[in-house]
Amino acid sequence: MAKNIQSLERAAAMLRLLAGGERRLGLSDIASSLDLAKGTAHGILRTLQAEGFVEQDPASGRYQLGAELLRLGTTYLDVHELRARALVWTDDLARSSGESVYLGVLHQHGVLIVHHVFRPDDSRQVLEVGAMQPLHSTALGKVLAGYDPVAHSEALEGDRKAYTGRTVCDPDGFEAVLTLTRARGYASDVEETWEGVASVAAAIHDRRRMPVGAVGITGAVERVCREDGELRPELIAAVRECARSVSRDLGASRF
């Protein structure tokens, strides 16, 4: 029988240690808990950090699980399963709102549209499943960046192009948008990506309260917004309820 690779065993033990107990641990704590020399522990941590599996707090020097590990942890949820769970709720949202509904997931530094329900009228529409949307300007992208640490990093590190005069591109302004998104529980895009178009989206969570996607509606500004330019509250409520319903269907109990 082939022998186990000791360095991989130690790395796995280190990740399990960081996943339980205190949120952050120092080098001495990690080495002592795993009965490792500090030099050995530091080498493993440095490798894990380079791969994004571990992060080091610059102020305290302590270590915690990294965003890349969080991303891998959500891959158990197949995109097709997410779409299947959302079918009924997104259809209901399209009927109640009268607007197009989109279901998106983080993919290659953007939002991949995995499900699209047409606006329930006789207008000519194009199916956008498989299309990509930017993280920094769309409602789907901003709500993912607000809750998913990987999406957050990719949005900040990416090229935040100004699609219209309303697009928020500077880092501080974008962080303020994400803070507001988390406080409100939804994200908006009022002519930030396309002139004359407004959107609102909310995050979908799994049973571990991890964000696995986002759902939102998109339509003409005059339909989605009130005369004062603010999003219609009934549409915000409908989108948030849809996200909660899908999340509950995935096993989430709190948001």
Side-chain angles (χ1 to χ4, degrees):
M1 180 182 289
K3 292 183 178 180
N4 292 340
I5 300 175
Q6 187 181 57
S7 59
L8 292 180
E9 289 181 329
R10 288 172 171 176
M14 199 169 286
L15 292 174
R16 291 192 190 98
L17 179 65
L18 291 171
E22 295 183 30
R23 186 163 179 260
R24 293 190 179 99
L25 293 172
L27 174 60
S28 297
D29 299 323
I30 294 171
S32 176
S33 297
L34 300 178
D35 197 22
L36 296 173
K38 280 188 178 181
T40 301
H42 185 254
I44 296 172
L45 284 167
R46 190 169 61 245
T47 302
L48 291 172
Q49 186 177 2
E51 295 298 324
F53 296 143
V54 164
E55 295 175 356
Q56 185 179 29
D57 180 64
S60 67
R62 290 175 172 266
Y63 294 90
Q64 64 183 24
L65 294 180
E68 183 63 21
L69 193 64
L70 295 177
R71 183 212 289 270
L72 292 178
T74 62
T75 57
Y76 83 95
L77 180 67
D78 187 89
V79 166
H80 296 295
E81 180 186 354
L82 174 62
R83 180 179 178 275
R85 300 279 184 144
L87 284 176
V88 173
W89 305 112
T90 51
D91 284 349
D92 286 347
L93 178 59
R95 281 193 295 269
S96 65
S97 67
E99 302 295 344
S100 299
V101 176
Y102 296 88
L103 182 69
V105 298
L106 178 65
H107 181 69
Q108 295 182 350
H109 306 281
V111 182
L112 173 66
I113 303 302
V114 297
H115 185 51
H116 174 198
V117 184
F118 283 165
R119 186 172 61 254
D121 59 21
D122 295 328
S123 63
R124 183 177 179 181
Q125 300 172 64
V126 178
L127 187 66
E128 294 188 38
V129 172
M132 293 290 293
Q133 293 187 2
L135 282 171
H136 70 287
S137 62
T138 62
L140 290 172
K142 284 187 281 187
V143 81
L144 285 174
Y147 288 96
D148 185 334
V150 177
H152 179 223
S153 297
E154 292 185 354
L156 284 176
E157 295 168 3
D159 178 23
R160 291 181 299 281
K161 175 182 176 181
Y163 293 99
T164 74
R166 293 173 175 260
T167 310
V168 178
C169 300
D170 68 283
D172 291 341
F174 184 64
E175 285 286 13
V177 168
L178 298 188
T179 298
L180 179 60
T181 294
R182 289 187 292 270
R184 298 189 303 188
Y186 69 90
S188 63
D189 166 11
V190 180
E191 298 188 285
E192 294 177 48
T193 311
W194 302 282
E195 296 284 357
V197 177
S199 304
V200 56
I204 296 170
H205 297 80
D206 65 8
R207 66 176 184 273
R208 297 170 301 169
R209 298 173 63 190
M210 291 295 297
V212 293
V215 63
I217 61 169
T218 297
V221 170
E222 58 268 22
R223 296 195 307 268
V224 178
C225 297
R226 303 181 308 198
E227 291 185 3
D228 61 3
E230 294 295 320
L231 291 166
R232 295 185 181 278
E234 65 272 20
L235 295 182
I236 296 172
V239 169
R240 295 190 67 190
E241 181 55 33
C242 178
R244 282 192 290 265
S245 296
V246 179
S247 297
R248 283 193 293 267
D249 214 10
L250 292 171
S253 58
R254 295 176 57 194
F255 309 96

PDB file of all heavy atoms in Angstrom, residues 19 54 56 124 129 139 153 155 158 179 201 226 238:
ATOM      1  N   ALA A  19     -10.281  25.690  10.844  1.00  0.00           N
ATOM      2  CA  ALA A  19     -11.730  25.662  10.602  1.00  0.00           C
ATOM      3  C   ALA A  19     -12.532  25.562  11.890  1.00  0.00           C
ATOM      4  O   ALA A  19     -13.722  25.868  11.912  1.00  0.00           O
ATOM      5  CB  ALA A  19     -12.084  24.492   9.687  1.00  0.00           C
ATOM      6  N   VAL A  54      -5.119  30.004   2.945  1.00  0.00           N
ATOM      7  CA  VAL A  54      -4.931  30.608   4.256  1.00  0.00           C
ATOM      8  C   VAL A  54      -4.613  32.082   4.061  1.00  0.00           C
ATOM      9  O   VAL A  54      -3.945  32.467   3.102  1.00  0.00           O
ATOM     10  CB  VAL A  54      -3.784  29.904   5.032  1.00  0.00           C
ATOM     11  CG1 VAL A  54      -3.319  30.746   6.214  1.00  0.00           C
ATOM     12  CG2 VAL A  54      -4.228  28.533   5.516  1.00  0.00           C
ATOM     13  N   GLN A  56      -3.278  35.736   6.244  1.00  0.00           N
ATOM     14  CA  GLN A  56      -2.641  36.232   7.460  1.00  0.00           C
ATOM     15  C   GLN A  56      -3.074  37.656   7.729  1.00  0.00           C
ATOM     16  O   GLN A  56      -2.993  38.513   6.843  1.00  0.00           O
ATOM     17  CB  GLN A  56      -1.118  36.159   7.351  1.00  0.00           C
ATOM     18  CG  GLN A  56      -0.398  36.543   8.647  1.00  0.00           C
ATOM     19  CD  GLN A  56       1.116  36.431   8.515  1.00  0.00           C
ATOM     20  OE1 GLN A  56       1.661  36.588   7.422  1.00  0.00           O
ATOM     21  NE2 GLN A  56       1.784  36.153   9.625  1.00  0.00           N
ATOM     22  N   ARG A 124     -40.408  41.122 -27.927  1.00  0.00           N
ATOM     23  CA  ARG A 124     -39.350  40.244 -28.419  1.00  0.00           C
ATOM     24  C   ARG A 124     -38.184  40.285 -27.426  1.00  0.00           C
ATOM     25  O   ARG A 124     -37.710  41.352 -27.054  1.00  0.00           O
ATOM     26  CB  ARG A 124     -38.886  40.709 -29.796  1.00  0.00           C
ATOM     27  CG  ARG A 124     -37.823  39.799 -30.402  1.00  0.00           C
ATOM     28  CD  ARG A 124     -37.448  40.258 -31.792  1.00  0.00           C
ATOM     29  NE  ARG A 124     -36.406  39.396 -32.367  1.00  0.00           N
ATOM     30  CZ  ARG A 124     -35.876  39.576 -33.567  1.00  0.00           C
ATOM     31  NH1 ARG A 124     -36.292  40.585 -34.329  1.00  0.00           N
ATOM     32  NH2 ARG A 124     -34.944  38.765 -34.001  1.00  0.00           N
ATOM     33  N   VAL A 129     -29.017  33.124 -21.152  1.00  0.00           N
ATOM     34  CA  VAL A 129     -28.309  32.079 -20.409  1.00  0.00           C
ATOM     35  C   VAL A 129     -26.928  31.884 -21.032  1.00  0.00           C
ATOM     36  O   VAL A 129     -26.797  31.744 -22.247  1.00  0.00           O
ATOM     37  CB  VAL A 129     -29.096  30.750 -20.435  1.00  0.00           C
ATOM     38  CG1 VAL A 129     -28.265  29.625 -19.825  1.00  0.00           C
ATOM     39  CG2 VAL A 129     -30.400  30.898 -19.675  1.00  0.00           C
ATOM     40  N   ALA A 139     -26.474  44.660 -10.496  1.00  0.00           N
ATOM     41  CA  ALA A 139     -27.049  44.309  -9.192  1.00  0.00           C
ATOM     42  C   ALA A 139     -26.632  42.897  -8.786  1.00  0.00           C
ATOM     43  O   ALA A 139     -26.280  42.648  -7.631  1.00  0.00           O
ATOM     44  CB  ALA A 139     -28.567  44.426  -9.250  1.00  0.00           C
ATOM     45  N   SER A 153     -12.966  40.125  -3.684  1.00  0.00           N
ATOM     46  CA  SER A 153     -11.568  40.302  -4.094  1.00  0.00           C
ATOM     47  C   SER A 153     -11.457  40.503  -5.602  1.00  0.00           C
ATOM     48  O   SER A 153     -10.724  41.372  -6.074  1.00  0.00           O
ATOM     49  CB  SER A 153     -10.735  39.092  -3.672  1.00  0.00           C
ATOM     50  OG  SER A 153     -10.708  38.951  -2.274  1.00  0.00           O
ATOM     51  N   ALA A 155     -13.707  41.627  -7.682  1.00  0.00           N
ATOM     52  CA  ALA A 155     -14.275  42.911  -8.095  1.00  0.00           C
ATOM     53  C   ALA A 155     -13.301  44.060  -7.821  1.00  0.00           C
ATOM     54  O   ALA A 155     -13.170  44.996  -8.618  1.00  0.00           O
ATOM     55  CB  ALA A 155     -15.590  43.164  -7.382  1.00  0.00           C
ATOM     56  N   GLY A 158     -10.167  43.649 -10.197  1.00  0.00           N
ATOM     57  CA  GLY A 158     -10.444  43.703 -11.624  1.00  0.00           C
ATOM     58  C   GLY A 158     -10.531  45.125 -12.165  1.00  0.00           C
ATOM     59  O   GLY A 158     -10.401  46.114 -11.434  1.00  0.00           O
ATOM     60  N   THR A 179     -21.001  47.994   1.397  1.00  0.00           N
ATOM     61  CA  THR A 179     -21.446  48.137   2.792  1.00  0.00           C
ATOM     62  C   THR A 179     -22.948  48.406   2.831  1.00  0.00           C
ATOM     63  O   THR A 179     -23.679  47.816   3.646  1.00  0.00           O
ATOM     64  CB  THR A 179     -20.695  49.281   3.481  1.00  0.00           C
ATOM     65  OG1 THR A 179     -19.291  48.974   3.509  1.00  0.00           O
ATOM     66  CG2 THR A 179     -21.184  49.484   4.913  1.00  0.00           C
ATOM     67  N   ALA A 201     -31.199  42.983  -7.040  1.00  0.00           N
ATOM     68  CA  ALA A 201     -30.853  41.573  -6.837  1.00  0.00           C
ATOM     69  C   ALA A 201     -30.581  41.290  -5.374  1.00  0.00           C
ATOM     70  O   ALA A 201     -30.211  42.182  -4.601  1.00  0.00           O
ATOM     71  CB  ALA A 201     -29.622  41.208  -7.679  1.00  0.00           C
ATOM     72  N   ARG A 226     -39.527  54.452  -9.158  1.00  0.00           N
ATOM     73  CA  ARG A 226     -40.596  55.427  -8.971  1.00  0.00           C
ATOM     74  C   ARG A 226     -40.211  56.731  -9.669  1.00  0.00           C
ATOM     75  O   ARG A 226     -39.105  56.867 -10.207  1.00  0.00           O
ATOM     76  CB  ARG A 226     -40.822  55.686  -7.481  1.00  0.00           C
ATOM     77  CG  ARG A 226     -41.153  54.432  -6.681  1.00  0.00           C
ATOM     78  CD  ARG A 226     -41.396  54.746  -5.222  1.00  0.00           C
ATOM     79  NE  ARG A 226     -40.311  55.522  -4.595  1.00  0.00           N
ATOM     80  CZ  ARG A 226     -40.122  55.628  -3.290  1.00  0.00           C
ATOM     81  NH1 ARG A 226     -40.960  55.032  -2.459  1.00  0.00           N
ATOM     82  NH2 ARG A 226     -39.122  56.345  -2.808  1.00  0.00           N
ATOM     83  N   ALA A 238     -40.155  41.649  -3.404  1.00  0.00           N
ATOM     84  CA  ALA A 238     -40.392  40.433  -4.172  1.00  0.00           C
ATOM     85  C   ALA A 238     -39.084  39.698  -4.478  1.00  0.00           C
ATOM     86  O   ALA A 238     -39.010  38.467  -4.392  1.00  0.00           O
ATOM     87  CB  ALA A 238     -41.123  40.768  -5.471  1.00  0.00           C
TER      88      ALA A 238
END
